[in-house]
């Protein structure tokens, strides 16, 4: 189950790297605006907020990926700790998005599914 947890943590990390790119690199582009449903004016106005938020997603991805690598290297305590920190934060951020705006159910589930499943697999490996 540790391998499954590590693979799912890497999937979660990849999703969050993509979110980083959307928010910090492509925010004002037609593609970024289409994903988030913003106008050009809204995107320009909120660019700095999105840039900062994107980096939060990147840092969570790095934490989860480092945990997955540690799990693959048989460093279970360090790996589990990092996966819990990274994937736990990703999951909770998805729950906040879901609970704050029901129209964002799909993006919230994309954001929280892989990290939640990673945590479930990690918990299952401890049983």
């Amino acid at each position: 189950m540790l391998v499954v947890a590590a693979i799912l943590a890497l999937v979660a990390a990849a999703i969050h790297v993509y979110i980083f790119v959307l928010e910090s690199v492509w925010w004002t582009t037609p593609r970024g605006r289409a994903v988030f449903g913003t106008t050009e004016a809204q995107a320009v106005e909120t660019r700095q907020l999105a840039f900062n938020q994107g980096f939060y997603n990147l840092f969570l991805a790095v934490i989860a990926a480092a945990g997955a690598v540690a799990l693959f290297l048989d460093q279970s305590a360090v790996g589990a700790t990092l996966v819990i920190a990274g994937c736990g934060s990703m999951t909770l951020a998805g729950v906040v998005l879901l609970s704050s705006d029901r129209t964002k159910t799909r993006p919230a589930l994309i954001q929280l599914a892989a990290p939640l499943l990673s945590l479930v697999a990690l918990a299952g490996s401890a049983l």
Side-chain angles (χ1 to χ4, degrees):
M1 290 297 275
L2 284 178
V3 171
V4 172
I7 290 169
L8 288 166
L10 290 174
V11 170
I15 291 166
H16 281 73
V17 167
Y18 178 66
I19 295 169
F20 157 75
V21 171
L22 283 171
E23 292 175 339
S24 295
V25 180
W26 295 343
W27 185 255
T28 57
T29 67
R31 178 180 176 96
R33 291 193 325 267
V35 168
F36 292 100
T38 58
T39 66
E40 188 172 353
Q42 290 169 325
V44 169
E45 184 72 24
T46 59
R47 183 179 188 160
Q48 283 189 295
L49 293 171
F51 183 77
N52 189 52
Q53 183 171 304
F55 274 90
Y56 276 94
N57 283 297
L58 178 62
F59 300 147
L60 292 177
V62 169
I63 293 166
V69 169
L71 288 176
F72 284 129
L73 295 174
D74 289 327
Q75 299 298 314
S76 299
V78 170
T81 300
L82 291 171
V83 167
I84 290 167
C87 288
S89 295
M90 291 172 182
T91 300
L92 292 174
V95 169
V96 168
L97 179 59
L98 182 62
S99 65
S100 67
D101 186 351
R102 292 298 172 134
T103 68
K104 303 288 191 248
T105 298
R106 184 175 183 273
L109 293 176
I110 290 169
Q111 181 178 340
L112 71 81
L116 177 60
L117 292 172
S118 176
L119 294 172
V120 169
L122 190 62
S125 70
L127 300 176

